[in-house]
Amino acid sequence: MTFTKAARLALLLAIPGLVLTGCGRKGDLDRPGAATSINTKAPAGTAEPKETIEDRPFLLDPLL
């Protein structure tokens, strides 16, 4: 196998991986193991209600 064929194959295999890396769920950033999310907008000791996000099915959900 020549270098150009190997480079094309590597590129062909890398593209789906890069595309699937962008798949995810949008939401607040939480610390690992934290029960509540970090919110700097609300003063300490008060809880700000979270917006509910509609759970829409995704094509790859059965794989997870």
Side-chain angles (χ1 to χ4, degrees), residues 11-62:
L11 183 65
L12 187 66
L13 293 175
I15 288 174
L18 292 173
V19 170
L20 290 176
T21 302
C23 296
R25 188 171 286 243
K26 185 177 180 181
D28 293 339
L29 298 176
D30 297 332
R31 283 186 282 168
T36 60
S37 64
I38 300 171
N39 189 357
T40 57
K41 294 179 188 175
T46 61
E48 186 175 310
K50 284 189 168 184
E51 297 177 18
T52 57
I53 300 173
E54 179 185 346
D55 189 26
R56 295 178 290 163
F58 184 66
L59 177 67
L60 299 176
D61 279 345

